[in-house]
Amino acid sequence: MKRHLLEAGDLDRADATLVLDTAGQIESALAGREVKKLPTLRGRTVVNLFYEDSTRTRISFELAAKRLSADVINFSAKGSSVSKGESLKDTALTLEAMGADGIVVRHGASGAPHRLATWVKGSVVNAGDGTHEHPTQALLDAYTIRQRLGRLDGVRVVVVGDVLHSRVARSNVWLLSTLGAEVTLVAPPTLLPVGVGSWPVAVSYDLDAVLPKADVVMMLRVQAERMNASFFPSAREYSRRYGLDARRMAVLPDHAIVMHPGPMNRGMEIAAEVADSARSTIVDQVGNGVSVRMAVLYLLLGGAPE
Amino acid sequence: MTLITNVRPYGEDAVDIRITDGRITEIGPGLAGDDDVVDGGGLVALPGLVDLHTHLREPGREDAETVETGSRAAALGGFTAVHAMANTDPVADTAGVVEQVWRLGQEAGLVDVVPVGAVTVGLRGERLAELGAMADSAARVRVFSDDGHCVADPALMRRALEYVKALDGVVAQHAEEPRLTVGAQMNEGDRSARLGLAGWPAAAEEAVIARDVLLAGHVGARLHVCHVSTAGSVDILRWAKSRGVQVTAEVTPHHLLLTDECAETYDPVFKVNPPLRSDADVQALRAGLADGTIDAVATDHAPHAVEDKESEWASARPGMLGLEQALSIVVQTMVEPGLLDWRGVADRMSVRPAAIGRLAGHGRPLAVGEPANLLLLDPTHRATVDPAALASRSRNSPYAGRELPGRVVATFLRGTATVLDGKAQK
């Protein structure tokens, strides 16, 4: 493993598989235990440096670090020196001076974790940067797919929705293709980045055409403000063309699963009956997130061989 | 009197050059006399460079650059005249501000600082600034630009083009359709898609250039296009010139050398507007400069204080230093590959920029009777760029750590050495 986890592209097949396997081992080690805690990172300090609100991701990382017995500091940019104009660099150096071994950073600017990694000696984990990447989300998605379907090689994954602004989609594209899955992106052309043609994916504008062969359908959250910026004409039209409802779910092969990184817009990109169906892995994804983040922190901070 | 011995004007045969009272009075082999002698050592002599596009930050951001520090950087880069862009604080949109900048340049005495006047009041793109008052001022403004902003309103752009005809002026347009670049951070393409940085499409530049050349042709006015960055822009300019439109254009050194690959580091030292483009664009820009479609190299020297650059990419200010390495970049990208000879360099970096800016005393040939504005260059010297050693007050050089050819050994402004042995004389 490298010293940081900044983007999914940092992981080759062996590294990615090591993270997933380690998550599995951690899960097994904790299964049935009354006290769900390992002593692995005792004496280490992990800082959750969150410039954007994200309660779910922060809690997931916090729980992961605590279950590895690390000391955890939650640093929210709101109401801190950051709101008084302190720069990312000064904040990073301050945290490091306080002895942070690992910094988990969520930031609204793409590449902020990369900058941070040039200024600190500790490990940096990207917990979501702008519209760039969210690598631990992709790892937990891959873990969930493997858990449900037993493999990743050759699995056909359809990612649906606002790819243009989605760090989840970006991370999944790179990680899933590294792990041998076949990814198809489905979205209106306005929500696909110029340059998507160079990605290791297929692209379709027609959800109905790709569903019958999908093993995994990964729905992305659609932000309300995209509508006002004319990325598509109306919520109703979007939902009709790109939403996953019961009728569309019925077209899927029997073994296929439905994923969503959350939080969902029920009734917009995903119908309630789909989100709550047996095919849905949404709750599993949340639980697996903790195991995967434990694996990442363990491998980066636990003294694993380079 | 000064005698420069053993120099090669435009890289040709070695001669001596005698300077008397700020003018070249004699050129030939074996000149003698008891003048101050500067040993040219076989260096290449070129007319002093003229920059159409410099940001000197004074007034307003003297922590990033002043007229004096920027002038020193310019002299060290071989320049004898620079046009100082209008996006200062306050904006150079009145006779008072342009005269202040001009006077500060005179006091620094290292290069002729020629203020650019804003096209619109406060660069807001709403109504014309007092272009005539700036033209009539001591600064004698002939180039007008809202650089940093595009004059996006087509009707206002038409009026500006028409109005400056009476002033023998030119509108220098920052071509960027703002509605296509909302939030834009880098060149739109494969890399922006992957890096998650919002894209600045080539079409946002090309659409404005296409519009403006049609307007300039229609009203018969002079248009200058700032920092052309795309292959499509070169095509449009070539077409416009073939139609007889009075359009000129400039390219920056960084757009001749660097590509959007630099953004992979997320280091904002590579953030610039317009953004670094693809390798195909770089090749088209070099070809356009070589065949004269692009008239000039202009630095877009944009100094920024450390805190404005040492940050996340999105919040960093766009811009790069350019004055001190401009000639080296042109040597590397144009001369060494055989795209331009020394006369071509003189043409694109001195003669044509001076003509566009209507600067009478600059961009003149190295000939008897001409003003002694010249530089001496060692094209074989190679050195690694160390930002700490730059004369600019800022350090945002995209060339840090890069080995570049060419060293300006001396610069003369009207016969007075502003740089000797690579060191500024003030």
Side-chain angles (χ1 to χ4, degrees):
Chain A
M1 287 280 285
K2 292 182 178 175
R3 186 154 60 92
H4 309 292
L5 178 58
L6 302 177
E7 53 189 49
D10 289 346
L11 300 166
D12 60 19
R13 194 178 175 114
D15 283 343
T17 305
L18 176 65
V19 175
L20 302 187
D21 291 347
T22 305
Q25 288 161 7
I26 287 172
E27 201 169 276
S28 305
L30 290 175
R33 281 208 193 191
E34 204 167 300
V35 179
K36 293 197 181 302
K37 210 155 181 171
L38 299 171
T40 321
L41 295 185
R42 186 175 292 153
R44 301 294 186 106
T45 301
V46 174
V47 176
N48 286 325
L49 179 56
F50 274 55
Y51 284 79
E52 272 188 351
D53 289 332
S54 174
T55 309
R56 299 154 57 102
T57 303
R58 185 184 57 73
I59 289 175
S60 183
F61 269 106
E62 184 175 356
L63 205 52
K66 284 183 169 167
R67 284 189 178 167
L68 291 167
S69 303
D71 296 320
V72 181
I73 297 166
N74 287 313
F75 187 96
S76 166
K78 278 190 180 165
S80 72
S81 53
V82 172
S83 60
K84 296 170 193 158
E86 185 173 82
S87 72
L88 178 65
K89 183 176 182 180
D90 288 338
T91 303
L93 295 178
T94 302
L95 295 176
E96 185 165 73
M98 291 176 177
D101 300 294
I103 298 176
V104 176
V105 59
R106 161 69 67 102
H107 203 291
S110 299
H114 294 69
R115 298 295 292 149
L116 200 61
T118 65
W119 297 322
V120 299
K121 294 190 199 76
S123 293
V124 175
V125 179
N126 181 359
D129 62 327
T131 54
H132 177 224
E133 282 221 24
H134 192 357
T136 59
Q137 176 71 42
L139 284 162
L140 75 88
D141 289 339
Y143 185 83
T144 305
I145 294 169
R146 200 174 73 165
Q147 191 178 51
R148 282 286 192 110
L149 302 181
R151 68 194 168 96
L152 285 158
D153 238 337
V155 168
R156 286 180 290 236
V157 182
V158 177
V159 180
V160 188
D162 185 1
V163 176
L164 179 64
H165 302 96
S166 174
R167 50 195 174 207
V168 174
R170 275 179 184 71
S171 286
N172 266 300
V173 162
W174 301 111
L175 185 74
L176 289 173
S177 59
T178 297
L179 290 169
E182 296 169 19
V183 180
T184 301
L185 303 177
V186 180
T190 47
L191 290 175
L192 288 165
V194 167
V196 74
S198 65
W199 290 7
V201 297
V203 172
S204 171
Y205 309 135
D206 185 352
L207 181 57
D208 291 309
V210 301
L211 287 179
K213 288 186 175 175
D215 301 308
V216 177
V217 183
M218 188 182 289
M219 305 304 296
L220 300 174
R221 177 179 171 80
V222 177
Q223 308 272 350
E225 62 259 35
R226 306 295 174 227
M227 205 161 58
N228 303 326
S230 287
F231 285 98
F232 47 86
S234 70
R236 198 167 82 147
E237 175 157 329
Y238 181 89
S239 190
R240 279 185 184 171
R241 293 178 69 86
Y242 297 100
L244 190 62
D245 57 11
R247 180 185 63 79
R248 285 197 167 115
M249 187 168 68
V251 177
L252 290 170
D254 291 342
H255 66 273
I257 58 172
V258 174
M259 309 183 79
H260 194 297
M264 292 177 283
N265 297 305
R266 287 175 181 254
M268 171 75 171
E269 72 265 5
I270 190 165
E273 62 219 282
V274 177
D276 298 332
S277 74
R279 290 177 184 278
S280 166
T281 65
I282 295 163
V283 177
D284 297 348
Q285 287 170 264
V286 175
N288 290 338
V290 179
S291 306
V292 163
R293 286 167 181 136
M294 286 175 78
V296 168
L297 292 173
Y298 167 71
L299 291 169
L300 292 180
L301 304 178
E306 289 274 316
Chain B
M1 289 197 295
T2 303
L3 186 65
I4 307 171
T5 60
N6 188 27
V7 288
R8 300 185 296 127
Y10 309 102
E12 292 159 11
D13 293 342
V15 292
D16 301 339
I17 298 177
R18 192 188 312 281
I19 298 170
T20 311
D21 296 332
R23 288 193 175 271
I24 297 172
T25 48
E26 218 174 337
I27 297 182
L31 301 184
D34 52 0
D35 325 57
D36 294 336
V37 175
V38 175
D39 178 7
L43 301 172
V44 172
L46 295 173
L49 307 183
V50 176
D51 193 14
L52 280 166
H53 196 141
T54 305
H55 296 275
L56 292 178
R57 303 296 184 217
E58 188 177 12
R61 282 304 300 266
E62 292 82 356
D63 58 326
E65 195 80 285
T66 64
V67 171
E68 185 191 354
T69 59
S71 293
R72 190 168 295 117
L76 286 164
F79 291 88
T80 51
V82 298
H83 287 78
M85 273 297 167
N87 59 340
T88 48
D89 183 15
V91 171
D93 59 0
T94 62
V97 179
V98 294
E99 284 193 356
Q100 178 194 0
V101 173
W102 173 78
R103 196 178 58 252
L104 288 167
Q106 295 279 301
E107 288 168 5
L110 287 150
V111 293
D112 285 343
V113 174
V114 187
V116 172
V119 177
T120 67
V121 175
L123 309 175
R124 285 194 291 275
E126 293 166 355
R127 59 193 177 89
L128 293 181
E130 289 189 344
L131 310 178
M134 291 189 275
D136 294 341
S137 74
R140 292 180 40 78
V141 174
R142 291 294 177 271
V143 181
F144 298 92
S145 180
D146 276 1
D147 181 61
H149 303 271
C150 181
V151 181
D153 178 340
L156 190 63
M157 184 62 184
R158 175 197 171 146
R159 296 288 174 243
L161 286 165
E162 287 177 314
Y163 196 83
V164 301
K165 286 202 295 182
L167 313 172
D168 194 23
V170 62
V171 177
Q173 175 73 295
H174 172 118
E176 174 184 358
E177 168 48 56
R179 285 162 295 190
L180 288 173
T181 59
V182 174
Q185 297 292 329
M186 68 172 291
N187 182 39
E188 185 169 81
D190 296 355
R191 286 203 170 87
S192 65
R194 189 159 50 74
L195 294 174
L197 293 170
W200 199 128
E205 174 175 306
E206 294 155 7
V208 171
I209 297 175
R211 180 198 78 176
D212 285 354
V213 295
L214 294 175
L215 287 173
H218 182 60
V219 304
R222 284 207 295 143
L223 167 72
H224 177 72
V225 185
C226 295
H227 41 49
V228 169
S229 71
T230 79
S233 297
V234 179
D235 288 340
I236 294 164
L237 289 164
R238 198 172 277 130
W239 173 84
K241 287 189 167 188
S242 76
R243 306 252 301 188
V245 175
Q246 295 180 73
V247 58
T248 54
E250 67 189 34
V251 62
T252 71
H254 48 269
H255 285 110
L256 289 173
L257 178 68
L258 305 173
T259 69
D260 60 0
E261 188 179 358
C262 295
E264 302 262 356
T265 61
Y266 288 105
D267 184 343
V269 78
F270 298 113
K271 181 176 173 179
V272 67
N273 187 11
L276 300 175
R277 302 286 189 184
S278 71
D279 187 55
D281 291 310
V282 168
Q283 299 309 321
L285 293 168
R286 291 182 186 180
L289 184 65
D291 72 18
T293 302
I294 298 173
D295 299 81
V297 175
T299 66
D300 196 4
H301 177 81
H304 286 299
V306 171
E307 63 271 21
D308 291 326
K309 276 293 192 183
E310 206 162 61
S311 67
E312 309 84 288
W313 181 281
S315 53
R317 289 175 188 262
M320 304 170 162
L321 298 184
L323 286 168
E324 290 171 77
Q325 273 69 48
L327 185 52
S328 289
I329 303 298
V330 171
V331 169
Q332 181 169 45
T333 59
M334 301 298 296
V335 178
E336 290 185 345
L339 293 168
L340 277 185
D341 59 14
W342 294 116
R343 284 195 183 270
V345 173
D347 183 65
R348 308 299 196 275
M349 296 189 78
S350 181
V351 178
R352 290 212 217 182
I356 292 165
R358 299 290 194 254
L359 297 187
H362 293 272
R364 303 295 305 166
L366 296 177
V368 171
E370 297 290 351
N373 296 321
L374 68 151
L375 70 93
L376 307 183
L377 175 78
D378 178 358
T380 64
H381 183 90
R382 300 187 77 88
T384 302
V385 178
D386 173 13
L390 297 176
S392 172
R393 186 163 277 188
S394 292
R395 293 290 169 263
N396 54 308
S397 171
Y399 312 117
R402 196 180 274 265
E403 191 188 88
L404 294 176
R407 175 174 182 258
V408 173
V409 177
T411 308
F412 294 87
L413 175 65
R414 286 182 287 278
T416 301
T418 54
V419 173
L420 269 184
D421 294 330
K423 295 183 178 63
Q425 298 299 292
K426 279 191 179 179

